[in-house]
């Protein structure tokens, strides 16, 4: 029987999921252990619970996997969500949108998205789930760590990003002149190709993962049972860009990790980079989302409180009206028409009724 969600009790209530035990169920290969989960409500304003947020990609297809709740009901999930959930141990509370938000209730979805920044900001950590390990994984991790460990802590990431846009041989020669010399793997090292494949994982192209990685205090990358360091991945992604000699299209992962890094600094250190500039960073990368509302809602965590008040989270709102209100709020906040410089060719807009001055 499908699980019946009880309405959330307050504007700052969320649901959390916790593994409480296992039971055996018959399977074609015999009996298998199936997790039994508890789903509870907490008020994050009053109770300050400890929990882990999960950042992942929903994937394609129907919800065909079931999470068994302790009242003998089930919640259907995508394969990706189920694969993440079963990695967690007894007594670890997790928040994962596909289960902790009633996806059949569009009004609840709107209210929870309004709360999303707070959900991620208050978590103990965020686990960014990149998927299973594959044949490229070990080589990709190996070269990422080797590149990252080659640089002293004093080496500025901004300088590194500029350097990495040059041809590969120029990069090597420049780094070798450093004191002490910095050595990076040779261009014919097969691990470069593994790294490029690794950076094509869907997590790096999903729009929601941008905010989910930028807002939390703690961020961990997970792939299978392995844990990865964000800075290692970021530095390796930088070197996958620019004049790479492998004749492979760059997945733009270096721009995405750079945007995440800058946004984490904005949130953590309250630096003054305007939202319009962050928006520009995001628009330079082909982020994907299935609902056009999320081109605004997925970035709410980077908005000032003043702008958040100006933008209503409402999935019933026509997309054209949402984009128009968001553009008006950004112009008012910036006291500038600079946003118009980000507007692409109006004749190529995907939305027919969008004003010519509004970003899509």
């Amino acid at each position: 029987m499908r699980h019946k969600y009880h309405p959330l009790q307050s504007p700052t209530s969320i649901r959390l999921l916790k593994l409480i035990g296992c039971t055996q169920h018959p399977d074609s290969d015999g009996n298998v252990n199936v997790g039994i989960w508890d789903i509870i409500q907490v008020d994050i304003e009053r109770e300050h619970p400890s929990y882990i947020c999960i950042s992942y990609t929903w994937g394609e297809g129907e919800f065909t996997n079931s999470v068994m709740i302790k009242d003998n009901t089930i919640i259907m999930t995508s394969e990706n969500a189920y694969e993440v959930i079963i990695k967690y141990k007894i007594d670890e509370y997790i928040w994962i949108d596909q289960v902790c938000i009633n996806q059949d209730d569009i009004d609840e979805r709107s209210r929870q998205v309004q709360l999303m920044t707070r959900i991620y900001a208050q978590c103990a950590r965020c686990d960014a789930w990149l998927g299973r390990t594959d044949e490229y994984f070990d080589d990709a991790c190996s070269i990422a760590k080797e590149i990252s460990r080659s640089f002293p802590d004093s080496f500025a990431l901004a300088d590194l990003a500029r350097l990495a846009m040059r041809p590969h041989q120029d990069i090597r020669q420049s780094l070798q002149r450093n004191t002490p010399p910095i050595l990076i793997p040779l261009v014919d090292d097969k691990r470069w190709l593994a790294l490029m494949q690794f950076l094509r994982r869907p997590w790096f192209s999903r729009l929601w993962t941008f905010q989910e990685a930028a807002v939390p205090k703690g961020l961990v990358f997970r792939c299978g049972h392995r844990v990865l360091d964000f800075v290692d991945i970021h530095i390796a992604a930088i070197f996958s860009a620019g004049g790479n000699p492998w004749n492979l299209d760059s997945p733009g992962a270096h721009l995405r990790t750079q945007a995440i890094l800058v946004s984490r600094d904005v949130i953590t250190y309250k630096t003054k980079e305007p939202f319009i500039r962050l928006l520009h960073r995001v628009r330079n990368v082909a982020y994907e989302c299935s609902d056009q509302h999320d081109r605004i809602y997925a970035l709410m965590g980077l908005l000032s409180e003043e702008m958040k008040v100006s933008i209503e989270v409402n999935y019933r709102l026509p997309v054209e009206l949402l984009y128009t209100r968001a553009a008006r709020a950004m112009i008012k906040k910036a006291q500038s028409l600079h946003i118009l410089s980000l507007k692409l060719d109006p004749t190529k807009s995907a939305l027919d009724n969008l004003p010519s001055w509004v970003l899509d």
Side-chain angles (χ1 to χ4, degrees):
M1 183 173 65
R2 294 290 183 95
H3 181 73
K4 180 178 175 58
Y5 284 94
H6 297 293
L8 292 168
Q9 297 174 356
S10 75
T12 50
S13 289
I14 64 171
R15 299 183 185 92
L16 296 175
L17 192 64
K18 180 178 75 168
L19 180 66
I20 59 173
C22 293
T23 186
Q24 286 200 332
H25 274 236
D27 186 78
S28 57
D29 298 323
N31 288 335
V32 295
N33 286 329
V34 175
I36 304 297
W37 298 81
D38 190 14
I39 188 165
I40 65 169
Q41 282 195 39
V42 294
D43 188 312
I44 57 174
E45 184 172 273
R46 292 188 294 105
E47 300 177 57
H48 302 288
S50 178
Y51 57 94
I52 301 165
C53 275
I54 312 299
S55 174
Y56 68 111
T57 59
W58 277 39
E60 303 294 335
E62 301 294 325
F63 285 16
T64 56
N65 292 268
S66 57
V67 174
M68 182 171 290
I69 308 303
K70 70 175 185 179
D71 61 1
N72 289 322
T73 61
I74 60 172
I75 298 175
M76 301 304 295
T77 72
S78 68
E79 183 176 351
N80 280 6
Y82 184 76
E83 192 173 68
V84 177
I85 290 168
I86 61 175
K87 299 295 183 187
Y88 289 87
K89 301 175 182 177
I90 286 180
D91 291 335
E92 281 186 316
Y93 280 108
I94 63 173
W95 185 91
I96 182 167
D97 59 354
Q98 207 172 103
V99 173
C100 297
I101 298 175
N102 182 358
Q103 298 298 325
D104 294 326
D105 185 339
I106 193 169
D107 295 322
E108 180 180 299
R109 280 175 53 206
S110 297
R111 291 190 295 270
Q112 288 284 280
V113 167
Q114 188 80 49
L115 195 62
M116 200 74 76
T117 307
R118 193 163 187 176
I119 292 172
Y120 276 88
Q122 290 188 207
C123 68
R125 73 170 191 268
C126 174
D127 286 356
W129 172 253
L130 303 184
R132 301 175 183 175
T133 57
D134 58 17
E135 68 268 29
Y136 303 108
F137 180 78
D138 287 336
D139 281 346
C141 287
S142 170
I143 197 168
K145 289 180 180 178
E146 185 174 330
I147 295 169
S148 179
R149 302 300 187 267
S150 298
F151 290 87
D153 293 339
S154 58
F155 205 100
L157 288 177
D159 293 338
L160 184 60
R162 285 191 291 271
L163 176 65
M165 297 307 292
R166 294 162 57 183
H168 197 86
Q169 189 58 36
D170 289 356
I171 295 172
R172 290 186 58 81
Q173 292 175 358
S174 178
L175 293 176
Q176 286 171 358
R177 290 194 293 269
N178 194 73
T179 305
I182 298 173
L183 303 178
I184 61 173
L186 293 170
V187 69
D188 59 358
D189 190 321
K190 67 172 185 173
R191 294 177 300 167
W192 284 109
L193 294 175
L195 177 63
M196 296 291 285
Q197 293 294 342
F198 177 80
L199 293 172
R200 286 194 173 91
R201 287 174 178 259
W203 188 92
F204 290 102
S205 62
R206 179 173 168 261
L207 183 57
W208 270 106
T209 58
F210 178 78
Q211 173 181 265
E212 293 164 0
V215 172
K217 295 182 288 292
L219 174 64
V220 172
F221 278 9
R222 292 185 178 273
C223 197
H225 292 288
R226 303 279 291 276
V227 177
L228 310 173
D229 184 87
F230 171 73
V231 173
D232 288 351
I233 299 301
H234 172 57
I235 292 177
I238 287 174
F239 278 95
S240 76
N244 76 68
W246 306 287
N247 296 318
L248 294 175
D249 293 335
S250 171
H254 68 293
L255 294 175
R256 297 184 179 102
T257 55
Q258 179 72 20
I260 290 169
L261 193 71
V262 170
S263 300
R264 285 180 67 81
D265 283 346
V266 169
I267 293 165
T268 303
Y269 303 112
K270 305 295 189 265
T271 54
K272 300 298 183 182
E273 180 158 25
F275 177 74
I276 190 70
R277 195 172 300 163
L278 293 173
L279 181 64
H280 183 60
R281 290 180 184 275
V282 173
R283 283 176 62 81
N284 277 342
V285 183
Y287 280 102
E288 300 170 0
C289 60
S290 57
D291 189 320
Q292 294 303 308
H293 291 84
D294 290 336
R295 299 222 170 265
I296 300 296
Y297 297 156
L299 300 176
M300 293 287 282
L302 306 176
L303 295 174
S304 66
E305 291 303 317
E306 178 185 347
M307 286 189 63
K308 285 179 186 177
V309 171
S310 303
I311 299 175
E312 176 190 10
V313 178
N314 181 358
Y315 281 95
R316 299 184 187 275
L317 199 67
V319 173
E320 293 86 351
L321 183 55
L322 170 64
Y323 288 8
T324 302
R325 289 180 178 177
R328 188 176 291 119
M330 282 186 272
I331 290 170
K332 182 178 179 181
K333 169 68 176 175
Q335 292 293 295
S336 165
L337 296 176
H338 178 61
I339 189 175
L340 301 183
S341 68
L342 302 183
K343 176 67 180 179
L344 303 177
D345 185 348
T347 64
K348 297 180 179 178
S349 173
L351 301 171
D352 294 334
N353 300 319
L354 200 66
S356 62
W357 54 274
V358 175
L359 299 177
D360 60 355

